[in-house]
Each structure stands twice: as structure tokens, then as C-alpha cells.
Amino acid sequence: MPVQKIATSAIIIGAGPAGAGTSFFLSKSGIPHIVIDKDKFPRDKVCGDACSGKTVLVLNRANPAWMEEINSRRDIFLPSWGITFNAPNGKGINIPFTPQWSKEMKPAGFTVTRFVFDDFLFRKMESPYARIFEEAKIDNIKTSDTGVSIQVTCGSVEYEITAPMIVGADGDKSLVRKTLLNNNTSAKTYAVGLRAYYEGITWPNEDQFIELHFLEETLPGYFWIFPLPNGMANIGVGIPSDVVRSKKINLREQMLAAIKNNPAIAPRFANATLKGKIQGWGLPMAGEKEVLSGNNFMLTGDAAALIDPFSGEGIGNALYSGMLAAEAIQKCREQNDYSAATLKREYDDVLYKRLGNEFRISNTLQRLSRRKWLFNAVINKAHKSPALRDTISSMFADMDLRSQLRKPSFYFRILFNK
Ligand SMILES: Cc1cc2nc3c(=O)[nH]c(=O)nc-3n(C[C@H](O)[C@H](O)[C@H](O)COP(=O)(O)OP(=O)(O)OC[C@H]3O[C@@H](n4cnc5c(N)ncnc54)[C@H](O)[C@@H]3O)c2cc1C
């Protein structure tokens, strides 16, 4: 059968949050593009299933009706109002995402299984400007002076697709990254995580905040309990790979031991049932300034290693980087220039200007959280001080305030009541 040739303005590899985010904003600008995924949707993705304010922000920018839909479908999307931090000494603090909150307000975030959420995003890509290939195999990616050419097999048909630009939105094991980003095949900081679904765990109160348990044995990573609709919960553990290697940690054993023996956790699982398998996957964490693009290509989401190094959140950053990638493509089209220098200016520099401070703060927090005593001391103080809890709560929305977390003086004042 002859190879079918298609020319388009942009090729996106991967239809997860990063690819969908890119597609939404290309369609908004009327830019024709092709999205290719190796899987058929709906499909699972190992994740904690917690979506933060950045996910809400990008979806609202793409189409405010989508957030209305999410907020009205409590059967599959559970609103999220805050977070509980539990220190290694077992003490916990509840921090709402906004200091004065009520369930009448629009929630700052939500939880939803990735099986449901990624399919929701996938269906929203439908547009006259987007052509989508599922269950497609990429046989080859080549760049030339005029752009990119890829060979794809989908069903029994072979395609040769050409475009001036390719977006790598193909996740942690990105083929685009491996093929086009010379000498740079993986994130500098890396974590590994396990995820399990449980039914029937109990909750300390009806607020059902998402819970991070910084157990002594998981530091600087954490064990999480995230509520989902219909009495389900997403349970997992994520730890930096260097710590897993150096301490020879068996993640699965550690997670099951916490569920069985930890005095703050085990009683809540007394009548709970594991649903399905415990599964693992990698988390490529954001550095402070990495290369994210080159001649005729950009990397987004996990392919660009944009997961928050402290919280482990990557869905919001994947969508956000997709939005910025689409804006950069529009600028490149206006200038008819897809060179590495232009992409660095229009994409890498813009992304680090917007997210760089967040990454710096989270990298600092990740380093500090290796110190158990400091963690215990801060949570102890916050436990006693409503004012400190309000400050931490305000940090979710206020970046200037959050910058305080990088300063030793912040911890000095907390520890010594200055
Ligand atoms: C254990 C764990 C827990 C996590 N918990 C959270 C959390 O609670 N909240 C949060 O915000 N983030 C969390 N993350 C991070 C989050 O899952 C990722 O950051 C997010 O999925 C990144 O989105 P993406 O679109 O870049 O990549 P992905 O979601 O991985 O999507 C990539 C897509 O590309 C496709 N693809 C891959 N290779 C190819 C190929 N060769 N050809 C065609 N298609 C291809 C895949 O099929 C997939 O659909 C967690 C991660 C892990 C591992």
C-alpha cells in the first residue's frame, strides 16, 4: 500500500495533558495540527490523580465551560479544598488552598482518575484544526532544513507527515526527546512512585483534604492518600531515585508496611480493599533551567521534565507548558522562523520566567525536607499557630509569599518565635 503523505503546521506526539494542552491552544488560534498517541483512549496512567490550581487555570483559559462541567460532575470529579501535611512525628496540619474557604466557593482543585481525566481532555481536542491518530506507531523522526518528517503506522496505513514543528508531549520516556535533544536524554532529578487504588478507607473528617504523609522512611518523598469519588482513594508513595538507590528501598514493601503498621495510617485501612494492581512509574522532576527545545522541536510536560520537585505535581505543568508551546508556535509562524534561537526565546525563556521561581522554591523545599527535625519543628509550630497555618495557606496563591520558603530567616523566625 502506498505511503500517505500529509503536510501540516505542527505535529504533537502524545495526547496526555501536555499534548492536549498544546492542541487546545493551537485550535484556539486556528493552527492546523496532528496529534499522535501510541495508545487507544480511554487509557490508564500511573498517577496520584490530584489536579491543582494550575490545571484549573489552564482549563479555564482553554474554555471556561469545561471547568463548569468538571464542577458539576461530582460522580467522577471530586472537588479538592485543601491539603493535610503530616510530619514524620505523626503530627498533622490541615491547610485549605484559600485561607477563608467554604464548600460554596469554587474548588481550587479536584481529584479524578487519569483513566477518566485524560479521556475527558482527549475528547475536548476535537476541532476542525486537529487531526488525531490513536494506536499509532512512530517508525521514524527526522529533521531537515525545512522542518520535521515522521513515519507513522496507524492500522494498516503508513503515513509520512511533515511539519515545520514537532512537539514532544510523549511523557517520561519521550522518543522525541531521545531522538532530537542531543546528549540530554533524562531529567537530572528523578523520582519513582507507586500507585494503588483502595476502596473503603476511612477519613479523619468530611473535608477529605488530599493528604501527604512525610514518613521518616520516605523522606524527602512522601506517602499519599488522595480521596476519589465513590468511596475510592488513590494511595501511593514517591521517593527521589537517588534515595531509593542509596538506601536500597523496596518501595512496594515500604508502602504496604505503612498501610499495615503505621499507627496514623493502618487503622484507616482496617476495612479497605485493594482494587487492581499496585503499579509504578517514573517522575522526571524540574530543574532550575534545562534545555527544552531546539531547531524545529519543543518538549512539554514530562518529556521536558517539568514535575514539581517538592509536591510531585505534573499535570498542571504539563497543561501549562502545552499552552506556552502553542503560543510559541504562533510566534514562530508569524516570524517564519523555527530555529533553536527563536524557540529558546519564545518557549524556554517564557516558561522559566513564569515557572522558574516555583521550581527554585520546590527544589529548596525538597532539599530541606531531607531534614526530619526541621520538618517536625515547622509542623509542630504550625499545629499550634493558626497565623502560621494562614500564611502557609496564602502561599498557594501568592508567589511572593511562597518565596519566603527559600529564605533561612523564614525558618529561623518560626523556630525561635522571632
Ligand atoms: C506515581 C505518580 C504519581 C503522580 N501523582 C501526581 C499527582 O497526583 N498530581 C499531578 O499533577 N501529577 C502527578 N504525577 C505526575 C503526572 O502523572 C505527570 O506529570 C503527567 O502525566 C505528565 O503529563 P504528560 O502529558 O507530559 O505525559 P503523560 O501523561 O505520560 O502522557 C504522555 C502520552 O504520550 C503517549 N506516548 C508516549 N510515547 C509515545 C510514542 N512513542 N508515540 C506516541 N505516543 C506516545 C502516551 O501514550 C501518553 O498518552 C504523578 C506521577 C507518578 C508517576
Side-chain angles (χ1 to χ4, degrees), residues 12-298:
I12 303 169
I13 310 294
T22 314
S23 175
F24 298 155
F25 291 91
L26 286 179
S27 290
K28 262 178 106 87
S29 307
I31 299 175
H33 58 281
I34 287 179
V35 185
I36 299 166
D37 203 287
K38 65 178 174 46
D39 286 343
K40 182 161 180 55
F41 285 71
R43 57 104 182 90
D44 184 27
K45 156 78 179 83
V46 176
C47 187
D49 300 337
C51 294
S52 67
K54 209 178 284 140
T55 298
V56 175
L57 179 132
V58 178
L59 293 184
N60 267 328
R61 277 198 203 165
N63 185 341
W66 296 348
M67 273 315 302
E68 298 295 332
E69 193 180 334
I70 286 174
N71 287 331
S72 69
R73 291 292 311 273
R74 300 271 163 110
D75 53 329
I76 47 175
F77 294 94
L78 191 74
S80 193
W81 307 98
I83 186 162
T84 301
F85 291 100
N86 289 290
N89 63 9
K91 215 164 242 178
I93 49 166
N94 295 327
I95 305 286
F97 292 131
T98 36
Q100 315 303 331
W101 73 286
S102 82
K103 288 193 173 174
E104 309 311 314
M105 292 160 65
K106 286 199 173 147
F110 55 88
T111 54
V112 54
T113 64
R114 291 291 297 273
F115 188 81
V116 169
F117 186 51
D118 287 21
D119 193 52
F120 174 89
L121 298 177
F122 187 82
R123 308 283 152 214
K124 299 297 183 206
M125 282 195 293
E126 193 185 321
S127 138
Y129 301 102
R131 183 165 173 192
I132 300 163
F133 292 86
E134 289 176 85
E135 285 186 289
K137 182 174 171 299
I138 295 168
D139 301 312
N140 195 358
I141 303 178
K142 276 190 305 202
T143 51
S144 67
D145 292 345
T146 51
V148 188
S149 140
I150 65 166
Q151 239 92 40
V152 186
T153 310
C154 191
S156 56
V157 185
E158 275 182 54
Y159 297 88
E160 184 184 323
I161 306 174
T162 51
M165 171 61 74
I166 187 165
V167 178
D170 45 348
D172 176 36
K173 298 183 175 33
S174 171
L175 179 67
V176 179
R177 183 183 180 105
K178 277 184 206 146
T179 313
L180 300 181
L181 193 67
N182 292 336
N183 304 323
N184 194 348
T185 50
S186 62
K188 292 209 173 75
T189 323
Y190 210 82
V192 279
L194 285 186
R195 175 215 65 188
Y197 288 117
Y198 276 83
E199 188 174 26
I201 76 158
T202 56
W203 299 92
N205 57 53
E206 61 179 30
D207 292 342
Q208 291 201 330
F209 283 4
I210 61 172
E211 297 176 24
L212 309 187
H213 296 257
F214 292 86
L215 309 178
E216 190 169 341
E217 60 276 19
T218 60
L219 284 179
Y222 58 80
F223 174 95
W224 70 79
I225 302 179
F226 294 166
L228 285 167
N230 306 313
M232 297 294 294
N234 182 315
I235 309 299
V237 62
I239 305 185
S241 310
D242 62 324
V243 178
V244 172
R245 271 193 306 273
S246 67
K247 293 192 181 166
K248 297 192 172 55
I249 294 172
N250 179 325
L251 227 52
R252 187 187 161 89
E253 274 175 16
Q254 198 174 74
M255 180 172 128
L256 292 174
I259 290 172
K260 199 165 165 226
N261 305 321
N262 185 293
I265 295 171
R268 297 173 56 189
F269 284 80
N271 297 311
T273 322
L274 173 67
K275 297 281 171 186
K277 286 189 191 145
I278 300 176
Q279 286 183 284
W281 197 255
L283 293 94
M285 303 291 194
E288 296 189 6
K289 195 138 199 189
E290 309 294 331
V291 177
L292 306 176
S293 62
N295 288 327
N296 308 95
F297 77 92
M298 279 181 279

Side-chain angles (χ1 to χ4, degrees), residues 49 120 138 209 294 315 327 330 334 339 353 376 418:
D49 300 337
F120 174 89
I138 295 168
F209 283 4
I315 302 168
E327 287 169 10
Q330 195 176 6
E334 284 160 15
S339 64
K353 196 164 175 221
N376 285 335
K418 298 287 176 198

